[in-house]
Amino acid sequence: MRLNRQRQIVEAHDIRLESQIGEAERFGDLMRRMARENRLAMVSALVILLFILGAVFAPLLSPYSASEMDMLHRLSPPGAGHLLGTDEGGRDILSRMLYGSRVSLLVGVVPTLLSMALGAALGMLAGFAGGWIDALVMRLADIMLALPSMLLAMVIMYTLGDGLINVFLTLSLVNWASVARIVRSQTLSLKKSEYVEAARVIGVKRPVILLRHILPNCLPTLIVLFTLNVPAAILTESSLSFLGLGVQPPNASWGLMVNVGRQYLYNAPWLSFVPSAAIMLIVLAFNFLGDGLRDVLDPHLKNN
Amino acid sequence: MKQSLLRRFIQAVIVLLGVALMIFIMLRVVPGNPVATMMGEHADIDTIQRMTAELGLDQPIHVQFARYVLDALRGDFGTSYSMGKPVSQLMAAAFGNTLALAVAAALFAWVVGIACGIVAAVRKNGLLDHLFMGFSLLGVSMPVFMVAMLLQYVFAYHLHWLPISGVDSWKGYILPAIALGWNSAGSVARLVRSTLLDVLQQDYIDTARAKGRGQPGILVLHALRNAMLPVMTMMAMQLSSLLSGAVITETVFSINGIGRLAVQAISGRDIPLLQGTALFTTLVVVLGNLLADSLYAVLDPRIRREA
């Protein structure tokens, strides 16, 4: 009798999961609601889209070559010929910004995906398994979070050495711990829910419970965390590159452009301030979008 | 309460040891012999071997770690490869500058953040509310180096109001402190506003108003006192990001602090110095969190009684 009831609960949950089209509609509804109620989030999404398009079509959009030197026109201020001015080698800053956005956006997205995957997997494992696994993962997270992020990133960069891949790895290792904490607490509360208990009673295997019942319920939180962690990764990379410890030439990220421009701060301030402003704009846009998504997808996160 | 504080203390010690071990292992797997790096290209093999033994680098790694921790407990963090001085001596000289900078930045962040938060909450949806909240979002989104360089460019280079770099007098701290505290001021303002709005809806505020207390009295005596608890926690958490930001701020304004020391350690491939600065910064953060926990317990009677 009790078993029957449990089976019903699991089936009801599965039906809800299987009606993916219904779920998708609901997600679409949520997005439409955000579009109506939160203009700022929509404008931000548009800004992010523009940046992505700029990065993808950089070769088509760039008015000049991004690498060709032109010593006759070095350090010329923003104006008609060069919209955003030229740098110390006479290269067009707008073109360099477009190419640099490829690195800066990748550095925001790739490590964030990696750190979210790592954090979500460890967080779910810790919350679901409990016991010594939980203790181990959480103490590890405590250790990672105790070190100020900039110094942690510096130590990891020192260990791994230069290179774009190593920047990705460093940022992933710096950010997984906070994701793991949030996902763990969510898993703990989901674990106690009726349908998970029911699934366990009728003998659904643990990995299946994790993937089919717990992970889908963590997704809204993960989406919000993703939008809020991308700008954090962009800021950390730009700080590392600003110190000369992140992306190295000939790769160019916005942070590196600020670093190089610093030597010309007083006679050609646009060298540093143009890429700085781009970083600020993209970070601001992601923060607004993240806030908007949080309000419709996962209002509980607001208190964290 | 004593028991829970003791538990927190033991946890803090474990975390510190964990951080020390993590940094230690990471810096040991860096390819290349650090002694060879330190002595340059012209050192002969005999000297390198003698130095390696002298520094204990030929011992097994757990012996090296145990020795490092025991030495660190006595305040000995080894000798800097690149500067030839004891790491503890270098950090002691730098710590004062970082501490002064962090305290000034925190003061700026809290005073400005709390004041803007209160005004925004009281004038909810008014012009000042929108203005302050807009500014705070801008503050959260601006990279530290951007704020620092903007301030340097406008107030030091153009207007000549304040020194461009260095901290020879107290005036030298003003721009770096604002640059470093700018970000935190934004977060504090947002948090003060939202908790204050929450608190202002509570029954005891109505009661106070019914008893005839005026608006300033209600704000200060009833609302602010209760709104300060989450703000306190946040301030403790901000300590970590302040020390992260100090690395950048100290570099831009050429302040000889712990953060700049860490940057110099990396460019000099100086493992003892990097290890020491990272560990020391963690110690400060962990102590700060411990202090905040105890203060929290003192300020909130509910926690005091529970524990």
Side-chain angles (χ1 to χ4, degrees), chain A residues 86-108:
Chain A
T86 61
D87 69 1
E88 77 285 358
R91 291 168 298 195
D92 180 55
I93 289 182
L94 177 61
S95 310
R96 287 183 66 72
M97 289 289 300
L98 283 166
Y99 277 95
S101 71
R102 295 178 154 192
V103 175
S104 287
L105 288 180
L106 272 185
V107 145

Side-chain angles (χ1 to χ4, degrees), chain A residues 274-286:
Chain A
V274 168
S276 296
I279 295 168
M280 186 188 80
L281 196 63
I282 192 91
V283 169
L284 198 64
F286 267 107

Side-chain angles (χ1 to χ4, degrees), chain A residues 143-144 146-151 154 158-159 238 243 245 262 265-266 269 272 276 280 284 287-288 291, chain B residues 15 18-19 22 26-27 29 137 141-142 145-146 149 152-153 157 164 190 240 244 251-252 266 269 281-282:
Chain A
I143 290 171
M144 301 299 279
L147 203 70
S149 61
M150 201 57 214
L151 281 149
M154 284 162 70
Y158 184 88
T159 306
S238 65
L243 294 173
L245 306 171
R262 224 186 112 204
L265 181 63
Y266 301 123
S272 287
S276 296
M280 186 188 80
L284 198 64
N287 281 337
F288 277 136
D291 280 354
Chain B
V15 164
V19 171
M22 184 178 72
M26 279 202 287
L27 294 182
V29 298
L137 261 172
S141 305
M142 277 166 105
F145 53 77
M146 182 186 187
M149 286 161 67
Q152 202 178 36
Y153 185 75
Y157 176 70
I164 282 184
R190 281 160 76 83
S240 177
S244 271
T251 304
V252 173
I266 289 195
R269 303 199 72 73
T281 319
T282 313

Side-chain angles (χ1 to χ4, degrees), chain B residues 287-304:
Chain B
L287 282 180
N289 284 335
L290 212 57
L291 191 73
D293 278 348
S294 356
L295 269 180
Y296 204 79
V298 172
L299 285 180
D300 191 341
R302 282 169 306 186
I303 296 177
R304 201 161 49 210

Side-chain angles (χ1 to χ4, degrees), chain A residues 166-209:
Chain A
N166 289 338
V167 175
F168 287 170
L169 282 176
T170 300
L171 295 178
S172 320
L173 288 172
V174 169
N175 289 330
W176 69 268
S178 54
V179 178
R181 264 196 188 168
I182 294 174
V183 171
R184 172 186 175 266
S185 70
Q186 204 153 34
T187 308
L188 278 179
S189 68
L190 287 171
K191 202 168 90 173
K192 291 191 199 110
S193 66
E194 230 179 6
Y195 60 84
V196 170
E197 206 177 306
R200 211 178 323 175
V201 170
I202 62 165
V204 179
K205 289 204 174 66
R206 282 165 159 233
V208 180
I209 295 182

